[in-house]
Amino acid sequence: MCKTLTARDPQPFRKISRPLRIAGHSTSICLESAFWQVLDAMAVAEGLSTPKLISVLHEEAAQMHEDLPNFASVLRTLCLLHESGR
């Protein structure tokens, strides 16, 4: 076994649910801690709060794709692309 996971701190894998408003609706998004850290850093870099950044990203994603079945998945993918510099 490669022990790639077992050798790591479990904290980044912990799921965290945060309440927020998107398009005027109260909701919550559940992501792993590692993704929240990336989104928090992205928000700081943009001069926004994390909820505001997520609201803007949701609006952009809705404009790109009429059917947005899993916004949490969009956020995870965006975090990966952001971290890889793409």
Side-chain angles (χ1 to χ4, degrees):
M1 187 158 119
C2 65
K3 298 190 181 195
T4 301
L5 287 173
T6 57
R8 293 190 178 270
D9 176 7
Q11 176 60 25
F13 299 94
R14 188 173 62 107
K15 289 215 177 209
I16 298 172
S17 184
R18 291 192 188 178
L20 58 140
R21 292 185 71 78
I22 296 177
H25 298 354
S26 293
T27 188
S28 64
I29 295 179
C30 186
L31 297 171
E32 293 76 11
S33 175
F35 291 114
W36 283 118
Q37 290 174 359
V38 173
L39 288 168
D40 290 341
M42 289 172 64
V44 168
E46 292 291 328
L48 301 170
S49 68
T50 303
K52 179 62 178 173
L53 173 70
I54 290 171
S55 181
V56 169
L57 292 172
H58 185 271
E59 186 176 314
E60 289 179 10
Q63 289 174 1
M64 290 177 61
H65 307 283
E66 289 181 24
D67 181 25
L68 212 85
N70 190 341
F71 184 56
S73 180
V74 170
L75 291 175
R76 286 185 186 95
T77 303
L78 179 63
C79 287
L80 289 172
L81 293 172
H82 176 79
E83 288 296 288
S84 70
R86 292 190 264 165

